[in-house]
Short mmCIF file of all heavy atoms in Angstrom, two decimals:
data_model
loop_
_atom_site.label_atom_id
_atom_site.label_comp_id
_atom_site.label_asym_id
_atom_site.label_seq_id
_atom_site.Cartn_x
_atom_site.Cartn_y
_atom_site.Cartn_z
N ILE A 1 107.65 89.36 81.61
CA ILE A 1 107.24 89.90 82.91
C ILE A 1 108.33 89.68 83.95
O ILE A 1 108.67 90.58 84.75
CB ILE A 1 105.92 89.25 83.34
CG1 ILE A 1 104.76 89.74 82.46
CG2 ILE A 1 105.61 89.53 84.82
CD1 ILE A 1 103.48 88.97 82.64
N LEU A 2 108.92 88.48 83.98
CA LEU A 2 109.98 88.20 84.95
C LEU A 2 111.21 89.06 84.70
O LEU A 2 111.88 89.49 85.65
CB LEU A 2 110.35 86.71 84.89
CG LEU A 2 109.27 85.74 85.40
CD1 LEU A 2 109.72 84.29 85.18
CD2 LEU A 2 108.98 85.97 86.88
N LEU A 3 111.53 89.30 83.43
CA LEU A 3 112.67 90.18 83.12
C LEU A 3 112.39 91.60 83.60
O LEU A 3 113.29 92.32 84.04
CB LEU A 3 112.95 90.17 81.62
CG LEU A 3 113.46 88.84 81.05
CD1 LEU A 3 113.65 88.95 79.54
CD2 LEU A 3 114.75 88.41 81.72
N ALA A 4 111.11 92.02 83.53
CA ALA A 4 110.76 93.34 84.06
C ALA A 4 110.93 93.38 85.57
O ALA A 4 111.44 94.36 86.13
CB ALA A 4 109.32 93.69 83.68
N PHE A 5 110.51 92.31 86.25
CA PHE A 5 110.73 92.24 87.70
C PHE A 5 112.22 92.32 88.02
O PHE A 5 112.62 92.94 89.03
CB PHE A 5 110.17 90.92 88.26
CG PHE A 5 108.69 90.93 88.52
CD1 PHE A 5 107.90 89.89 88.07
CD2 PHE A 5 108.09 91.97 89.22
CE1 PHE A 5 106.53 89.88 88.31
CE2 PHE A 5 106.73 91.97 89.46
CZ PHE A 5 105.95 90.93 89.00
N ALA A 6 113.04 91.69 87.20
CA ALA A 6 114.49 91.68 87.45
C ALA A 6 115.15 93.02 87.14
O ALA A 6 116.31 93.23 87.49
CB ALA A 6 115.15 90.57 86.63
N GLY A 7 114.44 93.92 86.45
CA GLY A 7 114.99 95.23 86.14
C GLY A 7 115.88 95.25 84.92
O GLY A 7 116.83 96.04 84.84
N ILE A 8 115.56 94.40 83.94
CA ILE A 8 116.34 94.36 82.70
C ILE A 8 115.99 95.59 81.86
O ILE A 8 114.83 96.02 81.81
CB ILE A 8 116.01 93.07 81.91
CG1 ILE A 8 116.36 91.85 82.76
CG2 ILE A 8 116.78 93.03 80.60
CD1 ILE A 8 117.80 91.76 83.20
N PRO A 9 116.99 96.23 81.20
CA PRO A 9 116.68 97.41 80.38
C PRO A 9 115.60 97.15 79.33
O PRO A 9 115.38 96.03 78.92
CB PRO A 9 118.04 97.73 79.74
CG PRO A 9 119.04 97.21 80.72
CD PRO A 9 118.44 95.97 81.30
N LEU A 10 114.94 98.24 78.93
CA LEU A 10 113.81 98.25 78.00
C LEU A 10 112.54 97.68 78.62
O LEU A 10 111.59 97.35 77.91
CB LEU A 10 114.13 97.51 76.70
CG LEU A 10 115.33 98.04 75.91
CD1 LEU A 10 115.50 97.25 74.62
CD2 LEU A 10 115.18 99.52 75.62
N THR A 11 112.52 97.58 79.94
CA THR A 11 111.29 97.23 80.65
C THR A 11 111.03 98.30 81.71
O THR A 11 111.94 99.06 82.10
CB THR A 11 111.38 95.86 81.34
OG1 THR A 11 112.35 95.92 82.39
CG2 THR A 11 111.77 94.77 80.36
N SER A 12 109.80 98.34 82.20
CA SER A 12 109.46 99.34 83.22
C SER A 12 110.21 99.08 84.52
O SER A 12 110.43 100.02 85.31
CB SER A 12 107.95 99.32 83.48
OG SER A 12 107.54 98.05 83.97
N GLY A 13 110.60 97.83 84.77
CA GLY A 13 111.33 97.53 86.00
C GLY A 13 112.66 98.26 86.07
O GLY A 13 113.05 98.78 87.12
N PHE A 14 113.38 98.31 84.93
CA PHE A 14 114.65 99.03 84.90
C PHE A 14 114.43 100.53 85.09
O PHE A 14 115.13 101.18 85.89
CB PHE A 14 115.35 98.77 83.56
CG PHE A 14 116.58 99.59 83.35
CD1 PHE A 14 117.78 99.23 83.94
CD2 PHE A 14 116.55 100.75 82.59
CE1 PHE A 14 118.93 99.99 83.77
CE2 PHE A 14 117.69 101.52 82.40
CZ PHE A 14 118.88 101.14 83.00
N THR A 15 113.45 101.09 84.39
CA THR A 15 113.22 102.53 84.47
C THR A 15 112.83 102.96 85.88
O THR A 15 113.31 103.97 86.40
CB THR A 15 112.10 102.94 83.49
OG1 THR A 15 112.39 102.39 82.21
CG2 THR A 15 112.00 104.44 83.38
N SER A 16 111.97 102.17 86.52
CA SER A 16 111.49 102.55 87.86
C SER A 16 112.60 102.43 88.90
O SER A 16 112.75 103.30 89.76
CB SER A 16 110.29 101.70 88.25
OG SER A 16 110.56 100.31 88.11
N LYS A 17 113.39 101.37 88.81
CA LYS A 17 114.52 101.24 89.75
C LYS A 17 115.53 102.36 89.54
O LYS A 17 116.07 102.94 90.50
CB LYS A 17 115.19 99.88 89.60
CG LYS A 17 114.43 98.72 90.23
CD LYS A 17 115.25 97.45 90.18
CE LYS A 17 114.58 96.30 90.93
NZ LYS A 17 113.34 95.87 90.29
N PHE A 18 115.81 102.66 88.28
CA PHE A 18 116.75 103.75 87.98
C PHE A 18 116.24 105.07 88.56
O PHE A 18 117.02 105.87 89.09
CB PHE A 18 116.92 103.86 86.46
CG PHE A 18 118.00 104.83 86.04
CD1 PHE A 18 119.31 104.44 85.95
CD2 PHE A 18 117.67 106.15 85.76
CE1 PHE A 18 120.31 105.33 85.57
CE2 PHE A 18 118.65 107.05 85.37
CZ PHE A 18 119.97 106.64 85.28
N ALA A 19 114.93 105.28 88.49
CA ALA A 19 114.35 106.53 88.99
C ALA A 19 114.50 106.65 90.50
O ALA A 19 114.94 107.69 91.02
CB ALA A 19 112.88 106.63 88.58
N VAL A 20 114.12 105.60 91.25
CA VAL A 20 114.19 105.71 92.71
C VAL A 20 115.63 105.72 93.19
O VAL A 20 115.97 106.45 94.14
CB VAL A 20 113.39 104.58 93.41
CG1 VAL A 20 111.91 104.70 93.14
CG2 VAL A 20 113.89 103.21 93.03
N PHE A 21 116.51 104.94 92.55
CA PHE A 21 117.90 104.96 92.97
C PHE A 21 118.55 106.29 92.62
O PHE A 21 119.38 106.82 93.39
CB PHE A 21 118.67 103.81 92.30
CG PHE A 21 118.28 102.44 92.79
CD1 PHE A 21 118.62 101.30 92.08
CD2 PHE A 21 117.56 102.28 93.97
CE1 PHE A 21 118.26 100.04 92.53
CE2 PHE A 21 117.20 101.02 94.43
CZ PHE A 21 117.54 99.90 93.70
N GLY A 22 118.19 106.88 91.49
CA GLY A 22 118.73 108.20 91.15
C GLY A 22 118.30 109.27 92.14
O GLY A 22 119.11 110.12 92.53
N ALA A 23 117.03 109.23 92.57
CA ALA A 23 116.56 110.19 93.57
C ALA A 23 117.30 110.00 94.89
O ALA A 23 117.63 110.97 95.58
CB ALA A 23 115.06 110.03 93.77
N ALA A 24 117.57 108.73 95.25
CA ALA A 24 118.29 108.46 96.50
C ALA A 24 119.72 108.97 96.43
O ALA A 24 120.26 109.51 97.41
CB ALA A 24 118.26 106.97 96.81
N VAL A 25 120.38 108.80 95.29
CA VAL A 25 121.74 109.32 95.12
C VAL A 25 121.75 110.84 95.25
O VAL A 25 122.62 111.42 95.93
CB VAL A 25 122.32 108.88 93.76
CG1 VAL A 25 123.62 109.63 93.46
CG2 VAL A 25 122.56 107.38 93.74
N ASP A 26 120.79 111.49 94.62
CA ASP A 26 120.71 112.96 94.72
C ASP A 26 120.49 113.42 96.15
O ASP A 26 120.94 114.51 96.54
CB ASP A 26 119.58 113.48 93.84
CG ASP A 26 119.86 113.29 92.36
OD1 ASP A 26 121.04 113.11 92.00
OD2 ASP A 26 118.89 113.30 91.56
N ASP A 27 119.82 112.59 96.95
CA ASP A 27 119.54 112.94 98.34
C ASP A 27 120.63 112.47 99.30
O ASP A 27 120.51 112.64 100.51
CB ASP A 27 118.19 112.33 98.75
CG ASP A 27 117.57 113.04 99.94
OD1 ASP A 27 117.52 114.28 99.93
OD2 ASP A 27 117.15 112.34 100.90
N GLY A 28 121.68 111.84 98.77
CA GLY A 28 122.79 111.40 99.61
C GLY A 28 122.60 110.07 100.28
O GLY A 28 123.39 109.69 101.15
N GLN A 29 121.57 109.29 99.88
CA GLN A 29 121.31 107.99 100.51
C GLN A 29 122.04 106.88 99.74
O GLN A 29 121.43 105.93 99.25
CB GLN A 29 119.80 107.72 100.54
CG GLN A 29 118.97 108.81 101.18
CD GLN A 29 119.15 108.85 102.69
OE1 GLN A 29 119.73 107.94 103.29
NE2 GLN A 29 118.64 109.88 103.32
N ILE A 30 123.36 106.99 99.66
CA ILE A 30 124.14 106.05 98.86
C ILE A 30 124.04 104.64 99.41
O ILE A 30 123.99 103.65 98.66
CB ILE A 30 125.62 106.49 98.79
CG1 ILE A 30 125.73 107.95 98.29
CG2 ILE A 30 126.42 105.55 97.90
CD1 ILE A 30 125.22 108.16 96.90
N TRP A 31 123.99 104.50 100.73
CA TRP A 31 123.96 103.17 101.35
C TRP A 31 122.69 102.41 100.97
O TRP A 31 122.72 101.18 100.79
CB TRP A 31 124.10 103.28 102.86
CG TRP A 31 122.99 104.03 103.55
CD1 TRP A 31 122.70 105.35 103.44
CD2 TRP A 31 122.04 103.48 104.46
NE1 TRP A 31 121.61 105.68 104.22
CE2 TRP A 31 121.19 104.56 104.87
CE3 TRP A 31 121.81 102.23 105.00
CZ2 TRP A 31 120.14 104.40 105.77
CZ3 TRP A 31 120.77 102.06 105.91
CH2 TRP A 31 119.95 103.12 106.28
N LEU A 32 121.59 103.12 100.80
CA LEU A 32 120.36 102.46 100.38
C LEU A 32 120.46 101.99 98.93
O LEU A 32 119.95 100.93 98.57
CB LEU A 32 119.17 103.41 100.54
CG LEU A 32 118.80 103.80 101.97
CD1 LEU A 32 117.64 104.78 101.98
CD2 LEU A 32 118.43 102.55 102.78
N VAL A 33 121.11 102.79 98.10
CA VAL A 33 121.27 102.42 96.69
C VAL A 33 122.14 101.17 96.57
O VAL A 33 121.84 100.26 95.78
CB VAL A 33 121.87 103.59 95.89
CG1 VAL A 33 122.13 103.17 94.44
CG2 VAL A 33 120.94 104.79 95.93
N ILE A 34 123.24 101.11 97.33
CA ILE A 34 124.11 99.94 97.29
C ILE A 34 123.33 98.69 97.69
O ILE A 34 123.42 97.64 97.03
CB ILE A 34 125.33 100.15 98.21
CG1 ILE A 34 126.22 101.28 97.66
CG2 ILE A 34 126.12 98.85 98.36
CD1 ILE A 34 127.35 101.67 98.59
N ALA A 35 122.55 98.80 98.78
CA ALA A 35 121.74 97.66 99.21
C ALA A 35 120.74 97.27 98.13
O ALA A 35 120.49 96.08 97.88
CB ALA A 35 121.01 98.00 100.51
N GLY A 36 120.16 98.27 97.47
CA GLY A 36 119.19 97.98 96.41
C GLY A 36 119.80 97.27 95.22
O GLY A 36 119.22 96.32 94.69
N VAL A 37 120.98 97.68 94.81
CA VAL A 37 121.65 97.05 93.66
C VAL A 37 122.04 95.61 93.99
O VAL A 37 121.84 94.69 93.19
CB VAL A 37 122.87 97.87 93.24
CG1 VAL A 37 123.68 97.13 92.20
CG2 VAL A 37 122.45 99.25 92.72
N VAL A 38 122.59 95.41 95.18
CA VAL A 38 123.02 94.05 95.58
C VAL A 38 121.82 93.11 95.65
O VAL A 38 121.86 91.98 95.12
CB VAL A 38 123.77 94.10 96.93
CG1 VAL A 38 124.03 92.69 97.45
CG2 VAL A 38 125.08 94.86 96.77
N THR A 39 120.75 93.54 96.29
CA THR A 39 119.58 92.67 96.42
C THR A 39 118.89 92.46 95.08
O THR A 39 118.29 91.40 94.85
CB THR A 39 118.58 93.24 97.44
OG1 THR A 39 118.25 94.60 97.08
CG2 THR A 39 119.18 93.23 98.84
N SER A 40 118.98 93.42 94.18
CA SER A 40 118.41 93.23 92.85
C SER A 40 119.13 92.10 92.12
O SER A 40 118.50 91.31 91.39
CB SER A 40 118.49 94.52 92.03
OG SER A 40 117.68 95.54 92.57
N MET A 41 120.45 92.02 92.30
CA MET A 41 121.20 90.93 91.67
C MET A 41 120.81 89.59 92.28
O MET A 41 120.68 88.59 91.56
CB MET A 41 122.71 91.19 91.83
CG MET A 41 123.21 92.36 91.00
SD MET A 41 125.01 92.52 91.00
CE MET A 41 125.30 93.01 92.71
N ILE A 42 120.61 89.54 93.60
CA ILE A 42 120.18 88.29 94.23
C ILE A 42 118.79 87.90 93.73
O ILE A 42 118.53 86.74 93.41
CB ILE A 42 120.16 88.45 95.77
CG1 ILE A 42 121.56 88.74 96.30
CG2 ILE A 42 119.59 87.20 96.44
CD1 ILE A 42 121.61 89.09 97.78
#
């Protein structure tokens, strides 16, 4: 469960983050994606 929260591949956490970040990239919201990736690592 914790690995899913962290967004590790093969869990729903990775798929869902990839989906929202991909939609943001398509919409030109790159700055939000960068913030999301950095905070996910923290």
